[in-house]
Amino acid sequence: MAAPPGARPAPGYLIEVDDDELDTAVFANLAGAGYAALADGKPDRAATYFRDALDLWHGSAGEDVPRSRFLDRRLSALDEQRLAVVEEWINARQQTNGDADLIADLRRLTESHPLRERLWGHLVLALYRVGDVGAALAAFQRARTVLIEDLGVEPGPDLVQLHQAVLARDPALGGPVARPRAELRPVAAPRAMVNTVTTWTPRELPVSPPTLIGRDREVASLVATVASRCGEGAAPAGMPTVVAIHGPSGAGASAVAIRAATELIPVFPDGQLYADLRTAGAAQVLGWFLRALGAPANQVPSDVEEAAARFRSASADRRLLILLDNATDEAQVRPLLSATSGSAAIVTSTRKLAALDATAHVEVAPLSDDDAIRLLATISGTGITAASKPSLQTLVELCGGLPLALRIVAARLASAPDVPLDHLAADLVAECRRFRTLSCGDLRISYRSAA
């Protein structure tokens, strides 16, 4: 083709095309029209423009073209523009509130582009808006796990804030409204009762630990298992969901259970019950649970079997999450389970409760050396440097990778910031070998457990 007037022809070929003949120009024009329609509050029209722009693509930019350094930068920029338009296309469809294929497309896109946080955010929001809160929480956990494993970072503030809004059922999300229920309401009493019982929504979970390192996989597995069976969109399981967590004393099974239970609060609108079975028998726990569900103290049976039957009746029409901590054996747990398929129980123990009819068993093992060092450094405020790492490694070996022992040592380190780390490590090792315990404040663990 001829060169422009006055221009000196360069070696090679020159192709002259109009804007409507160059696919990158057509793509840019359609995307620009989509952005403009979105800014004008016309998401339907914007989605059409974005869809037409994306239909021009068949694979990645320059898919069959050998890439030079210059060409690679240019083609990578085009791929990034395409992904930006994909995200805006999803954003526009999200605003139309009537796209049946949106969730399926988002699942495919998050599998293809697992590091795009905005796509994960759209998936969480879409699942929440169709009423599948459990799946929305599981999607956030999946995104968090991918980001931590692949990039070593936590989700960004936008995704974290969306997660918190889902947990709180924030009306600003535009999602389904929770079924109306009063916090305090009268219900008909069983035949054995002669008075009216008042029931309310118990929220009895302990505070979730602020620092939980190296347990993302276990928490995500727990949340996904329970949410898939008990979420609003789940098919009836036919029996209550029971997840049993086991691990050596001090491994943090309770912390994992509490964090997962906290994540699952929106799945169980009728309440969450908690009992530490180290200090209470079945009769006492059933009394706590019945009173938490509104039974007057003078109408709680003293007989375990009768109280268990009363609890099953009281919980039959409720979606409850029951956290049973530090169980000794299966017999201790069975009377405390609800009989309804909409409820779930999370049980922790130091050994696997193999005879329990559990939906899943999750093992919580000691932390890896890297996670243990990170936990020590995080809680104690000690930087991980070439100079500090040998002493931190000594303390990790002392603790056997058990989070409780590591937290005690970290608290001791934080209480003596002016003492050289290697001196403090040597003192702690000597103290532990002499007294056979590690302690700080009200935290204590035997050296036999930690060794």
Side-chain angles (χ1 to χ4, degrees), residues 201-231:
T201 304
R203 309 289 188 191
E204 299 185 346
L205 294 178
V207 176
S208 180
T211 304
L212 192 64
I213 290 174
R215 300 304 192 200
D216 296 318
R217 189 181 303 277
E218 292 88 345
V219 171
S221 174
L222 273 166
V223 171
T225 298
V226 175
S228 66
R229 292 173 60 89
C230 301

Side-chain angles (χ1 to χ4, degrees), residues 21-62:
E21 296 177 310
L22 188 62
D23 55 4
T24 54
V26 176
F27 171 75
N29 289 336
L30 287 170
Y35 286 120
L38 205 55
D40 289 340
K42 301 173 181 176
D44 288 322
R45 182 174 298 180
T48 300
Y49 281 129
F50 289 136
R51 177 69 272 174
D52 290 345
L54 293 170
D55 282 342
L56 298 171
W57 288 77
H58 304 281
S60 59

Side-chain angles (χ1 to χ4, degrees), residues 6 14 18 57 104 181-182 203 227 229-230 252 258 261 285 378 382 385 402 405 410:
L14 175 66
D18 293 331
W57 288 77
R181 58 177 286 119
R203 309 289 188 191
R229 292 173 60 89
C230 301
I258 293 168
V285 172
T378 300
T382 304
T385 64
L402 298 178

Side-chain angles (χ1 to χ4, degrees), residues 127-174:
L127 289 166
Y128 176 81
R129 284 181 170 173
V130 298
D132 198 345
V133 179
L137 294 172
F140 172 82
Q141 286 294 342
R142 173 62 182 155
R144 185 170 183 265
T145 298
V146 168
L147 291 169
I148 290 173
E149 289 183 349
D150 291 3
L151 301 180
V153 299
E154 291 281 348
D158 289 345
L159 193 53
V160 170
Q161 288 172 11
L162 175 60
H163 176 237
Q164 293 299 322
V166 170
L167 286 173
R169 292 182 181 263
D170 189 342
L173 294 180

